[in-house]
Amino acid sequence: MENLPALIPAILALMSTPGPVTLASAAFGAAVGWRAWPWVLMMTLGTGTVILLVATGVTGLVTALPGSAPVILVLAAAYFLWLAWRIGTAPPIGSVDAATTLPPLWTIYVMAVANPKAFGAMGALFSAHPLLPDSPVLGAALKGGILFCCALTINHVWMVAGAVLSGLMRHPVLGRALNITFALALVASVVLLFL
């Protein structure tokens, strides 16, 4: 557990910075306010799946297949661009309910699981700072629990930040501008995956 103090700043640096899930959390919060929590929770469950896939080594097996990494990256990027379009074209808050404004919950889960930034961040976090060097399985389980709790907290903080902006979203011009800004930020996060 002596590595826990070093793990926390690494978690904050890798998980709380803008990326597809954090930006989508903020965008959903801005678009529908506090009613976005089921979508944010579903994205966090997707991140939890990524944590499990990385911790158990499944990710390494899949990416070891020849040609799989570029295909996965392109499919993930295409999905994020579709999501950015949905966010950018969403109507102003208050004009429709969350169920018709936001994508279906299952697609949000898929987005979180397909998030290359999450795989990179989790890979980095699992490869460094072992919590229990003498018990790697228990240490990985403990680290996975900590990462999931951090993801849950971080995504909801981004949603709250977006919800704070929801008052601005009621204004037709400002609301459209914020939707487009969030969509462009999501597109930028996808572009950074290819650099």
Side-chain angles (χ1 to χ4, degrees):
M1 292 296 285
E2 67 272 0
N3 286 330
L4 188 59
L7 179 63
I8 300 302
I11 289 172
L12 292 175
L14 291 171
M15 293 178 67
S16 65
T17 54
V21 171
T22 52
L23 289 171
S25 296
F28 295 163
V32 297
W34 305 98
R35 296 176 296 159
W37 73 266
W39 284 265
V40 174
L41 179 60
M42 190 60 71
M43 284 188 289
T44 305
L45 291 174
T47 300
T49 301
V50 172
I51 292 168
L52 184 64
L53 292 172
V54 170
T56 59
V58 172
T59 302
L61 291 174
V62 172
T63 56
L65 296 171
S68 64
V71 171
I72 292 168
L73 188 60
V74 167
L75 290 174
Y79 181 78
F80 290 136
L81 293 175
W82 173 80
L83 183 62
W85 175 77
R86 287 287 304 256
I87 291 169
T89 59
I93 188 171
S95 61
V96 292
D97 64 44
T100 58
T101 301
L102 302 181
L105 285 172
W106 70 270
T107 66
I108 295 307
Y109 174 81
V110 170
M111 181 211 64
V113 172
N115 180 3
K117 180 189 179 223
F119 281 97
M122 296 312 148
L125 292 169
F126 270 99
S127 65
H129 313 298
L131 293 182
L132 301 172
D134 296 334
S135 181
V137 173
L138 184 58
L142 178 61
K143 187 181 284 189
I146 290 169
L147 292 174
F148 182 79
C149 290
C150 288
L152 186 64
T153 302
I154 289 165
N155 293 342
H156 278 83
V157 166
W158 276 85
M159 182 200 75
V160 168
V164 168
L165 295 174
S166 67
L168 298 175
M169 297 297 289
R170 295 187 190 284
H171 187 278
V173 174
L174 288 176
R176 174 65 57 217
L178 283 172
N179 279 353
I180 291 170
T181 299
F182 279 121
L184 291 175
L186 187 54
V187 169
S189 74
V190 171
V191 169
L192 290 175
L193 294 174
F194 290 94
L195 297 179

